[in-house]
Amino acid sequence: MDLDKNEIISDREKALEKVKENGKLLDIVSEELKNDREIVFEAVKNNAEALEFASKKLKEDREIVYESVSKIGWTYCYVGEKLLKDKDLLLAGLKKSGQIFYFTSSELRDDKDVVLAAIEAKPIIMKYASKRLRSDKDVGIAVMKKNKKCFSFLEPELQRDEDILNIKNEE
């Protein structure tokens, strides 16, 4: 059964069938069905990108969001407000995409485990770490070993540290 591009699916059974075939078809289900947990979960299981089309309420459903973020990471940008402080969710996403660190809470930008995971995936994201962690020697060494160009994101006192300077000057 082909779908008209402008068709909105409002029949629950048809919507469920379609999102199981192609999760991104969640985009063309009715607003009411975008708030149906089973339909959204099936869509996200089929295609993690479908999280974009979920209702605001279901973007705060940890199980649905984890299903998406742990697969492709970047969908963290769609996460509902209350999940932005969920460290385990963020760490799962960082394994796939360091870029998502940009979207996290200020509290998690000051969490050493989170920052280390973020710079492992994408060192340049260091510029979004808290000032405290941009001054942390362990973090500084880790980021410099990944990418010496990140030197400029370190706080001035850390830029003068002998160990950091040694890494910077290595061939």
Side-chain angles (χ1 to χ4, degrees):
M1 163 179 13
D2 290 329
L3 293 172
D4 178 334
K5 287 186 223 176
N6 298 319
E7 179 182 357
I8 298 296
I9 303 171
S10 53
D11 176 83
R12 187 179 188 284
E13 293 309 311
K14 183 177 179 183
L16 190 56
E17 173 190 329
K18 290 299 174 188
V19 300
K20 283 181 177 181
E21 292 171 16
N22 179 352
K24 286 188 101 176
L25 289 178
L26 185 61
D27 183 29
I28 62 168
V29 306
S30 69
E31 292 304 312
E32 177 184 342
L33 294 178
K34 288 178 182 179
N35 199 36
D36 182 304
R37 189 178 191 286
E38 182 184 9
I39 289 172
V40 172
F41 193 59
E42 289 298 328
V44 169
K45 282 194 323 190
N46 175 273
N47 185 327
E49 295 179 16
L51 182 63
E52 174 183 0
F53 308 113
S55 69
K56 184 175 181 178
K57 175 185 169 196
L58 292 178
K59 287 177 181 174
E60 293 192 342
D61 181 305
R62 190 180 189 285
E63 186 179 12
I64 289 172
V65 171
Y66 187 88
E67 179 71 25
S68 175
V69 170
S70 66
K71 287 181 179 174
I72 57 175
W74 67 263
T75 54
Y76 186 83
C77 68
Y78 300 121
V79 171
E81 185 83 23
K82 76 176 190 175
L83 291 178
L84 290 178
K85 295 181 181 179
D86 185 320
K87 181 177 175 177
D88 293 332
L89 179 64
L90 177 60
L91 288 171
L94 285 170
K95 290 178 182 173
K96 301 293 181 183
S97 171
Q99 188 68 30
I100 68 172
F101 184 70
Y102 174 81
F103 296 99
T104 196
S105 68
S106 57
E107 292 88 358
L108 290 174
R109 288 177 187 222
D110 192 45
D111 183 296
K112 192 170 182 175
D113 295 334
V114 169
V115 171
L116 288 170
I119 62 176
E120 180 65 29
K122 187 173 185 81
I124 200 159
I125 206 75
M126 176 71 176
K127 64 184 167 185
Y128 297 108
S130 68
K131 183 175 181 169
R132 180 182 75 84
L133 291 177
R134 284 183 281 122
S135 299
D136 182 283
K137 188 169 179 175
D138 295 335
V139 173
I141 288 171
V143 77
M144 290 297 292
K145 285 182 175 179
K146 292 292 286 181
N147 184 340
K148 293 176 189 177
K149 292 179 183 174
C150 293
F151 181 79
S152 64
F153 303 129
L154 302 177
E155 288 299 305
E157 66 271 15
L158 200 53
Q159 289 178 348
R160 293 187 293 274
D161 181 272
E162 185 178 332
D163 294 328
I164 297 291
L165 288 170
N166 287 338
I167 295 169
K168 182 182 180 234
N169 296 322
E170 286 175 353
E171 288 298 319

